Amino acid sequence: MSARIDDAPASGDAGPARDEAWFASRATPGIRGLKAYDPGHDLVAFRRRFGELALVELGSNENPYGPSADARAAILDQLHALHRYPDPLGGDLKRALAAVHGVPIERLMLGNGSHELLMQLAQAFAGPGQDVVFPRHGFAVFALATQAAGATTRIAEPLPRDAAMPLGHDLEAVLAAITPATRLVYLANPNNPTGTWFGRQALAGFLARVPGEVIVVVDEAYAEMADAPDYGSALERLDAHPNLVVTRTFSKAYGLAGLRVGYLLAAPGLVAVMERLRESFNVNGLALAACEAALGDTAHLRWACERNAEQRASLAAALQARGLEVFPSQTNFILVGFGRDAGPIEAALAERGVVLRPMGGYGLPDCLRISVGNPDENRRLLAALDEVMA
Ligand SMILES: *Cc1c(COP(=O)(O)O)cnc(C)c1O
């Protein structure tokens, strides 16, 4: 017997309330325990409140100089084609990247930011009952990716705070954390949020000792900015280690964070498996064109990296002169220790329109992460800091 229409709930009847906890109970085990990525402050609200020019945004490690002018021109050039789908293969950009890195195109995969690729690596290669190893104070996305895939997190403790590379990755500890259940290792080099790095020799020794069936992901979001003599990209080891994946991004040195483009380099077989997961048009047409153009402007890239290195050195010296703990950095940010809970300092700076990144979520509540701005931004940051610390 079918229900009469009068028995149906009146339209607008909400039915039983289904809150986040209820939907979480319906989600896969990995998602159930997951906390969404914390982007820091609501920057749109800040811009509205202070005005974009008054605001000093040093919380997200963006490039204060912006992208190559060629990237902007390439975007304008693409505006006639907004009704078309982008190239699902990203062929032109991949060919340009292949030329830059001297690798065949089969070793490359594009992502909607490297964040997407880091998530999909766990989705493809780790799951329930399997381990993913990464260092404490490693990039926040590693934990998210692991949990979302339903895999088990195994944390390697960092080097001590008084080591030559304070809070740097302890590659011996990473090796020791690998078990027969380990499928994936994530390392950022240089690392966010510590700014620390490990050298080319250390990486070669590490890769030689990792079991060949464990996939090692080296996230090199800041590689273009690293200029320490001992730093070496993992790309140099790609031929020797088919279990190695290197991720890069256009968000930092190339100044194109707003376009969301990252890429990975790995063995062609690994790329082919990852391609099964990729959303067909994951990188949009404006982004493809702009990144290809940006790659061609090596002078702009070099210029921005040189400005960053200069400003990083002078900002680090200025912070050190104020008695603060300044961690070594090969990136476009500096981790700074305040010797006490840095929360109130961060909040007071935010009230003055200076946005930094609090580190409580990374287990470093006495620290703040400060992106290296342009000279004017760094001056305004230091002036506000002096006011707040007085
Ligand atoms: C900023 C950053 C990224 C870049 O992420 P995108 O999604 O490419 O913008 C990746 N890894 C680390 C360690 C970062 O700091």
Side-chain angles (χ1 to χ4, degrees):
M1 198 176 76
S2 60
R4 289 184 312 128
I5 191 95
D6 313 350
D7 295 338
S11 74
D13 183 337
R18 300 300 196 199
D19 61 2
E20 184 175 349
W22 185 84
F23 283 105
S25 76
R26 312 295 299 159
T28 58
I31 304 296
R32 219 171 288 155
L34 200 56
K35 254 186 81 200
Y37 177 77
D38 175 9
H41 290 286
D42 179 351
L43 285 164
V44 175
F46 265 86
R47 287 174 200 140
R48 213 173 284 130
R49 177 172 159 203
F50 290 93
E52 245 176 271
L53 291 177
L55 202 57
V56 181
E57 294 188 34
L58 299 175
S60 299
N61 304 340
E62 291 145 339
N63 181 335
Y65 309 105
S68 160
D70 296 349
R72 297 171 207 265
I75 287 175
L76 293 180
D77 230 35
Q78 281 299 310
L79 290 181
H80 70 279
L82 289 179
H83 62 299
R84 300 285 181 206
Y85 278 104
D87 174 8
L89 301 175
D92 287 342
L93 177 55
K94 283 205 289 194
R95 271 184 290 277
L97 283 167
V100 165
H101 291 297
V103 298
I105 192 172
E106 293 75 21
R107 279 185 173 278
L108 281 159
M109 175 177 175
L110 302 178
N112 194 264
S114 51
H115 190 147
E116 178 179 69
L117 298 170
L118 293 168
M119 296 296 288
Q120 289 177 347
L121 281 160
Q123 209 185 328
F125 295 110
Q130 301 174 331
D131 290 352
V132 178
V133 173
F134 51 89
R136 189 179 304 288
H137 315 312
F139 187 39
V141 169
F142 304 160
L144 278 177
T146 304
Q147 284 175 264
T152 303
T153 295
R154 286 180 62 84
I155 298 284
E157 293 303 327
L159 295 167
R161 213 150 153 161
D162 59 357
M165 187 62 75
L167 298 185
H169 294 340
D170 181 347
L171 294 181
E172 286 299 325
V174 174
L175 280 170
I178 294 173
T179 72
T182 302
R183 293 294 182 273
L184 210 57
V185 174
Y186 285 113
L187 298 168
N189 191 34
N191 184 51
N192 176 11
T194 57
T196 54
W197 69 100
F198 50 83
R200 116 178 355 99
Q201 292 304 331
L203 175 67
F206 172 80
L207 287 171
R209 289 166 65 197
V210 173
E213 61 277 6
V214 174
I215 292 171
V216 177
V217 180
V218 183
D219 173 352
E220 295 190 340
Y222 302 94
E224 297 89 351
M225 302 171 194
D227 55 7
D230 66 330
Y231 178 81
S233 167
L235 290 177
E236 298 165 9
R237 313 296 310 161
L238 216 48
D239 284 334
H241 297 283
N243 59 330
L244 177 61
V245 180
V246 181
T247 61
R248 294 278 184 108
T249 182
F250 284 93
S251 298
K252 305 289 159 61
Y254 286 96
L256 288 167
L259 292 184
R260 314 300 308 122
V261 185
Y263 58 100
L264 67 74
L265 300 104
L270 188 147
V271 169
V273 169
M274 287 287 291
E275 280 286 329
R276 301 177 191 183
L277 264 177
R278 191 175 62 81
E279 189 262 309
S280 13
F281 302 100
N282 64 330
V283 181
N284 73 73
L286 303 184
L288 288 173
C291 289
E292 189 189 346
L295 270 186
D297 191 352
T298 51
H300 179 80
L301 176 69
R302 209 170 325 113
W303 176 84
C305 290
E306 279 165 15
R307 290 294 81 69
N308 175 63
E310 254 168 49
Q311 289 301 308
R312 181 174 66 203
S314 57
L315 181 59
L319 293 165
Q320 228 147 17
R322 286 159 171 80
L324 301 172
E325 182 185 12
V326 173
F327 290 77
S329 170
Q330 280 290 289
T331 63
N332 66 346
F333 61 84
I334 303 174
L335 184 70
V336 182
F338 288 78
R340 58 188 152 114
D341 179 12
I345 299 167
E346 194 273 336
L349 287 168
E351 277 308 301
R352 286 165 172 76
V354 177
V355 182
L356 308 182
R357 184 61 69 97
M359 287 285 107
Y362 274 101
L364 299 165
D366 64 316
C367 294
L368 297 177
R369 194 191 67 195
I370 305 178
S371 304
V372 177
N374 63 32
D376 178 54
E377 290 170 321
N378 296 335
R379 238 185 333 265
R380 288 153 73 195
L381 156 74
L382 290 168
L385 194 60
D386 288 341
E387 236 180 85
V388 163
M389 305 273 291

